[in-house]
Amino acid sequence: MLSFEVSAPQGLLAFVGQGERRHGRLRFANGKRFVRLTSDEIEGEKLRAVHALQTAIARWLGRAVPVAIAALMCASAAVNAAPLRIVAIGASNTHGFYVGNEGAYPAQLQALLRAKGIDAQVTNAGVPLETTGMMLRRIDKDVPEGTDIVILEPGGNDKRFLVPPQWRAANIAEMERRLRARSINVIVYDEWIPLRYRTLDFIHLTHEGHAMIAAALLPRVMEILDRRRNDVPPRRNASRPAPTR
């Protein structure tokens, strides 16, 4: 049993000690009255207190949860608004020898992606006359943090400059390893290109040749994007085997 002190004018309840109680009666002292509550009445008071607490928590959650959801939506929108960042590493054909950067396959790939509604930024990091060893030496510097995909077009300068095929393969593999260690997807484009897509020197690409490469790269980029949207772990290699030239 518990005793509660009730101020007669205000009707406020307060705990009192165990002294000066009378079973089943109200006792007045100094303008106050002492009320003895039964066990059922005490349980009722507890339930009312719990209900009041639950109501207060519900009201707080009603204000806090919408704010948290709005913050998450804003963060998600910010992530989705970030452009797709692609860097193209290669030699003169990546650079756009004869057609310029604007006509080279990186710029054409960017246009194809944007036509699909994808905010893509494809950076042309092609350097004429480079071998794969030279590309390897600059791969860390020329691929900034935050890059999503690297397109590696090794080209044919290794063969022209008498670099052994096994060295070329090792350089390509090391570039892939370094990029994947940074969680960057890699596409190696090392395909045989028909002569009809080359200029009169039989080395560099025509505008149509660059368009052909951009069209071939598009589904491979989309495959990476689809895997990321579906949160599926990437395959070990997004590229095809690199043949020797």
Side-chain angles (χ1 to χ4, degrees), residues 7 12 24 56 60 74 86 93 101 105 116 121 132 137 140 142 165 173 177-178 192 194 197 199 203-204 214 226 229:
S7 176
L12 300 176
W60 179 83
C74 290
I86 301 175
N93 275 327
N101 282 171
Y105 74 81
K116 285 184 168 291
Q121 294 179 357
T132 55
R137 284 194 288 273
D140 298 322
D142 284 1
R177 187 196 68 77
R178 289 190 191 181
W192 179 80
Y197 291 122
T199 61
I203 296 174
H204 298 102
D226 288 341
R229 291 192 189 103

Side-chain angles (χ1 to χ4, degrees), residues 92-100 102-106 108 193-214:
S92 56
N93 275 327
T94 296
H95 177 77
F97 205 80
Y98 282 127
V99 298
E102 298 79 10
Y105 74 81
Q108 296 202 44
I193 299 174
L195 291 179
R196 69 178 180 273
Y197 291 122
R198 296 189 182 272
T199 61
L200 294 177
D201 63 9
F202 300 114
I203 296 174
H204 298 102
L205 300 174
T206 63
H207 190 276
E208 291 74 22
H210 285 280
M212 181 271 297
I213 292 178

Side-chain angles (χ1 to χ4, degrees), residues 58-74:
R59 288 175 179 171
W60 179 83
L61 289 175
R63 292 190 296 267
V65 171
V67 173
I69 292 174
L72 288 174
M73 291 177 65
C74 290

Side-chain angles (χ1 to χ4, degrees), residues 46 48 72 166:
K46 289 181 180 178
R48 281 189 286 275
L72 288 174
Q166 60 271 25

Side-chain angles (χ1 to χ4, degrees), residues 11-42:
L12 300 176
L13 294 179
F15 284 108
V16 297
Q18 296 298 314
E20 295 191 299
R21 297 186 300 168
R22 291 186 181 179
H23 182 69
R25 295 183 181 180
L26 299 178
R27 179 179 176 183
F28 293 87
N30 298 325
K32 298 180 180 179
R33 60 180 178 177
F34 298 91
V35 182
R36 178 166 178 154
L37 300 180
T38 65
S39 297
D40 289 342
E41 290 171 328
I42 292 171

Side-chain angles (χ1 to χ4, degrees), residues 163-239:
V163 175
Q166 60 271 25
W167 290 11
R168 181 179 189 271
N171 290 335
I172 295 171
E174 177 61 15
M175 284 188 277
E176 290 186 86
R177 187 196 68 77
R178 289 190 191 181
L179 294 168
R180 291 201 172 91
R182 296 169 57 189
S183 300
I184 298 173
N185 291 279
V186 185
I187 298 173
V188 177
Y189 187 86
D190 198 20
E191 316 297 329
W192 179 80
I193 299 174
L195 291 179
R196 69 178 180 273
Y197 291 122
R198 296 189 182 272
T199 61
L200 294 177
D201 63 9
F202 300 114
I203 296 174
H204 298 102
L205 300 174
T206 63
H207 190 276
E208 291 74 22
H210 285 280
M212 181 271 297
I213 292 178
L217 290 171
L218 180 62
R220 296 168 74 173
V221 172
M222 296 304 298
E223 180 185 357
I224 292 173
L225 292 180
D226 288 341
R227 286 204 309 268
R228 289 174 57 180
R229 291 192 189 103
N230 298 327
D231 198 25
V232 176
R235 295 180 305 185
R236 180 183 175 276
N237 195 335
S239 62

